[in-house]
Amino acid sequence: MGADKGIHVETPETANPEPLGIAKTLKEIVNKEKPDLVILGKQAIDDDAGQTGQMLAGLTGWSQATFASKVEVDEPRGIVTVTREVDGGLQKVECKLPTIVTTDLR
């Protein structure tokens, strides 16, 4: 899997952004760029909230998979298979494209 494009979004330090505000900003970018897959980090470094990816999925109406340790894209079938670590071992989740994926710390 490779990326066709990466976008780094910056906000002024004085903005004090909240997860919903960031999700709304990302939604505008998603609407403009029309990606099939958006990959976000696990959580913010300031509050450890881990909310932005889930909020973005809700705002876009897209499927989501959280805490991914492995991501496999099957473009012909239009699905993403995400492997995530859970207490009992590994769990695989399939999502239809377009989708939002948040990563694990590993």
Side-chain angles (χ1 to χ4, degrees):
M1 175 176 82
D4 294 327
K5 188 176 195 175
I7 299 173
H8 181 197
V9 180
E10 293 186 55
T11 59
E13 289 184 33
T14 57
N16 192 22
E18 296 294 325
L20 182 57
I22 297 296
K24 287 179 178 179
T25 299
L26 292 173
K27 181 180 183 280
E28 294 303 315
I29 294 168
V30 165
N31 287 343
K32 179 182 174 190
E33 298 292 329
K34 309 270 190 254
D36 289 327
L37 176 64
V38 176
I39 300 175
L40 301 167
K42 180 179 180 180
Q43 61 202 47
I45 60 171
D46 53 356
D47 60 8
D48 291 335
Q51 300 171 344
T52 304
Q54 292 86 335
M55 289 181 179
L56 179 58
L59 291 170
T60 58
W62 290 10
S63 61
Q64 65 173 310
T66 58
F67 311 124
S69 60
K70 182 177 180 182
V71 177
E72 300 170 280
V73 179
D74 185 340
E75 287 187 65
R77 291 180 50 214
I79 62 165
V80 175
T81 302
V82 172
T83 303
R84 40 186 274 147
E85 294 180 24
V86 296
D87 290 340
L90 298 177
Q91 177 185 52
K92 287 192 175 190
V93 178
E94 282 191 356
C95 297
K96 290 183 182 180
L97 291 170
T99 194
I100 309 293
V101 174
T102 64
T103 61
D104 198 354
L105 292 176
R106 297 172 237 318

